[in-house]
Amino acid sequence: MPFFLLVSAFLPLLADGAGLLRSVGWQFVAFGAALPVAALAALLFPLVRPLEVSAVRSLCGVPAELLAEGPAVSWAARRRTALWFVAHLLAGGIVSGMTLAAPPAAVVLLVLPFSGSLRHVGLGWPDAFHGAWAPLAGLALLALVAGTSWGAGALLARCAPVLLGPTPADRLAAAERRAADLASRNRLARELHDAVGHALSAVTLQAGAARRVLDADPEFARRALAAIEETTCAAVAELDTVLGLLREEDGSDPAAPAPTLDGLTALLDRTRAAGVPVEADIEGRCTGLPPVVSREAYRIVQEGLSNALRHAGPVPVRLAVRVTDADVTIRVENAVPGAGRAAPDARAGGGRGLRGIAERARLLGGGATAAAEDGAWRLTARLPLKGAAT
């Protein structure tokens, strides 16, 4: 109606005649001229698409997955929306006009044979409508209105996925959003696995050792309990860091700084407190590295020590960290006790940490390998420094 009224206000300026707007023919002309104006509005206003999508979902029953989401940003999407808008208004105008005009005429035809006063009124209809055929004509007129409405709705429902469906640009943007969400979820999963998993593995060993010597060596049990307390406090701090990443993703509070290679000494102390003798060989400076490389290197060392705790127990572990101007190389090696013992990534529930290490290294352009060889489990990771600035 707004477009129709706008055109109707300008038509008298283009043609003479005071009764122009009362002419049925000019009403159709105004309706036809209003459609290009509506198309122009759909081209200029991107929010027309979400409004039309809502109407289609409610009135035509088109599944939401077949329709696009959000405003029409690209010109291709706007052109398709404009075509849909014109089709919608054209079908709606026809159905609305028939709904306004046909039912009153149908009622007159239904009662015409039973009303003497109406038979003497000059309605301008053919003589056949004044006889017994009038009620059938009235019913046929109502059926025509219902059929036209149904047909217009079915046609629009078939056209909606084509004209209001996602464009290739929309699909690409949706795929990028899904990829970003998946990357964020994987990142959080790696952080939780490495941070909390290491602490739980250490606490499990410490608690088991304290239980076994509680009566025979109370002093050792007290030291183990103190180590458990320290480990859990560190785990709570790291858990707060991971939760801070969630808040950071939501745009709220920034995350607390994640641990880096600067905190490697504390990590080794907690691992040794769990009863695991760790021989560390640090070559090069662990300070001044790109933050992202330092963070990922810390997590890789942490997960390597966690694997030793979980799958090998309190066996000696050799850690070598070599920092050069080109890269950071990490090597974790421990004995595999027991003949035929399964490798860490082959045990029930295992493998997630190794996949996380590989993902961390790959995202930085490096690589990681892990395998059992000659009775020892060796994990090696390389993180290049070039291009890693954040």
Side-chain angles (χ1 to χ4, degrees), residues 7-361:
V7 172
S8 299
F10 281 95
L11 276 181
L13 303 178
L14 304 178
D16 296 330
L20 179 63
L21 295 181
R22 292 192 295 270
S23 169
V24 175
W26 277 104
Q27 294 285 337
F28 282 106
V29 171
F31 175 69
L35 295 177
V37 180
L40 180 62
L43 282 173
L44 296 179
F45 296 100
L47 290 178
V48 171
R49 186 171 74 172
L51 293 175
E52 289 298 300
V53 166
S54 298
V56 168
R57 291 173 57 185
S58 301
L59 301 178
C60 298
V62 178
E65 58 269 16
L66 299 180
L67 302 174
E69 297 180 357
V73 179
S74 65
W75 284 107
R78 295 188 186 192
R79 287 192 294 270
R80 292 168 61 176
T81 303
L83 287 175
W84 163 263
F85 198 39
V86 169
H88 182 189
L89 296 184
L90 178 60
I94 293 173
V95 172
S96 297
M98 294 180 65
T99 304
L100 290 173
V107 171
V108 172
L109 289 172
L110 289 173
V111 302
L112 187 59
F114 311 103
S115 174
S117 59
L118 287 178
R119 285 198 298 269
H120 294 88
V121 176
L123 298 176
W125 291 348
D127 293 339
F129 285 170
H130 291 272
W133 294 100
L136 294 179
L139 294 175
L141 191 58
L142 292 176
L144 178 62
V145 174
T148 302
S149 302
W150 176 86
L155 180 61
L156 291 177
R158 291 178 64 89
C159 294
V162 178
L163 298 178
L164 291 180
T167 63
D170 293 329
R171 293 189 179 94
L172 179 59
E176 290 176 347
R177 289 194 297 271
R178 286 194 295 269
D181 291 342
L182 183 60
S184 177
R185 289 173 54 188
N186 288 340
R187 176 192 178 195
L188 293 173
R190 289 194 301 268
E191 294 292 330
L192 279 173
H193 180 277
D194 294 351
V196 179
H198 175 82
L200 292 179
S201 299
V203 166
T204 300
L205 283 181
Q206 292 162 345
R211 177 179 57 81
R212 286 192 296 269
V213 301
L214 180 61
D215 297 329
D217 193 349
E219 181 60 28
F220 178 85
R222 280 193 292 269
R223 290 198 303 270
L225 292 175
I228 290 175
E229 181 182 7
E230 181 182 352
T231 303
T232 53
C233 288
V236 169
E238 293 208 34
L239 182 60
D240 184 65
T241 298
V242 176
L243 295 178
L245 291 176
L246 283 173
R247 292 192 294 269
E248 194 175 49
E249 295 287 343
D250 295 337
S252 54
D253 297 337
T260 62
L261 282 180
D262 297 342
L264 195 57
T265 301
L267 175 64
L268 296 177
D269 290 341
R270 291 196 298 271
T271 306
R272 293 183 179 113
V276 177
V278 180
E279 178 186 342
D281 179 16
I282 313 298
E283 181 180 346
R285 295 176 56 87
C286 293
T287 59
L289 295 175
V292 64
V293 175
S294 188
R295 290 194 300 266
E296 298 305 311
Y298 178 92
R299 291 303 189 195
I300 290 174
V301 172
Q302 187 179 49
E303 177 56 24
L305 297 176
S306 296
N307 276 336
L309 285 170
R310 282 194 296 266
H311 303 307
V315 300
V317 177
R318 289 184 293 275
L319 168 67
V321 178
R322 181 172 177 265
V323 182
T324 67
D325 294 336
D327 56 24
V328 176
T329 303
I330 300 168
R331 184 183 180 93
V332 182
E333 181 178 335
N334 62 269
V336 179
R341 184 180 178 91
D345 60 342
R347 291 171 61 87
R352 296 185 182 88
L354 297 179
R355 287 197 297 269
I357 290 175
E359 289 174 358
R360 292 180 187 275

